[in-house]
Structures are given as structure tokens and as C-alpha cells.
Amino acid sequence: MEAIMSRTFTAARLAIVHQFLRFGAVGAFGFIVDTAVVYALKASAGLYVAGAVAYVVAATVNWGLNRIWTFRGRSSGRMHRQWALYLTANGLGFVFNRGTFFLLVTVSPLCVQYPVLAIAGGVAIGMFLNFHLARTFVFR
């Protein structure tokens, strides 16, 4: 049993788990930013535009926090290039995240009334993909 535990919980794996937990904490803060922007803009811009704008704002906040905290020491290159790479790498995450958001807002009256539910669904779908892309392509 001890041999299995030592192979399972290697220092490298624990470091990745630690990074993922930080990434999740940053994502939770990004979720708050995302939600705040959607609620601030939904009356004037509509839910679709509010959702798209909120994604860019939250992704930018998440990039900054991940750069200085989650992946500290793995950040190389110019900031504006890394920011653009982060947004590009998360383009697929965007498709899954906002695709889920738009789908839920389109088909669920409950999500129209409580957009936070649609935001949460999108965040859950995109989180694992975004972590992998950030770790593999942006913060190497």
C-alpha cells in the first residue's frame, strides 16, 4: 500500500494538484468578475453581448492572477504577447464555456431569470480544458 501511495502522490503530481487548486481559486474569483459584468450589462446590452464582454474581462483578470500566482516563475516573454496567447489558447475553452452559457440561456427560462446558473455551467465545462491549455501552452 505504501508503495502505491508513494507512486501515486509524487512531488510532481502534488505540484500539479497544487497548481490546479490555485487555478481553481483564480477561476472562482474570475467567476465573480464574470457574473458581476453580466449582471451590470444585461439590461443595457442583453445577455448575449453581456456574456461575451464578461468573458473577455474575466479572462483578462484570470490571466493576470494566474501569471503572478498560479504559474509564478513559469511566466516568460512579453506580457502583451502572453496575454494574447492566453486568450488564444482559451479560445477552445471559450467555445465550450460560452457555448454552454448561450445554450442554457436559449433553452432554459430558469437560466434567463438567473444567469448565474448558465455562467456556472459554462465555467464547469471549460475549467479542465483551460487549465491544460494554460499549463501546456501559455505558462511553460
Side-chain angles (χ1 to χ4, degrees):
M1 181 70 163
E2 188 174 319
I4 292 171
M5 295 297 280
S6 66
R7 282 192 309 246
T8 303
F9 296 109
T10 65
R13 286 183 181 164
L14 288 175
I16 291 171
V17 168
H18 188 245
Q19 263 185 347
F20 184 75
L21 292 174
R22 285 183 178 206
F23 187 82
V26 167
F29 183 73
F31 174 79
I32 293 168
V33 171
D34 195 345
T35 302
V37 173
V38 166
Y39 275 82
L41 296 179
K42 73 177 185 165
S44 62
L47 280 175
Y48 297 105
V49 172
V53 170
Y55 179 83
V56 174
V57 172
T60 299
V61 169
N62 285 0
W63 163 76
L65 292 174
N66 280 318
R67 179 180 168 89
I68 63 173
W69 189 48
T70 306
F71 300 105
R72 179 182 37 225
R74 294 183 70 178
S75 303
S76 61
R78 296 176 176 248
M79 287 177 59
H80 69 279
R81 184 181 182 289
Q82 188 183 56
W83 173 78
L85 183 59
Y86 185 83
L87 291 182
T88 301
N90 283 290
L92 187 56
F94 174 82
V95 169
F96 283 92
N97 183 319
R98 287 303 129 155
T100 301
F101 171 84
F102 293 147
L103 177 68
L104 290 172
V105 166
T106 300
V107 302
S108 172
L110 183 64
C111 288
V112 170
Q113 186 174 1
Y114 302 102
V116 68
L117 299 174
I119 295 166
V123 168
I125 295 297
M127 184 175 173
F128 288 100
L129 179 60
N130 286 340
F131 177 71
H132 173 71
L133 294 173
R135 183 170 167 52
T136 306
F137 298 108
V138 181
F139 301 102
R140 4 179 206 144

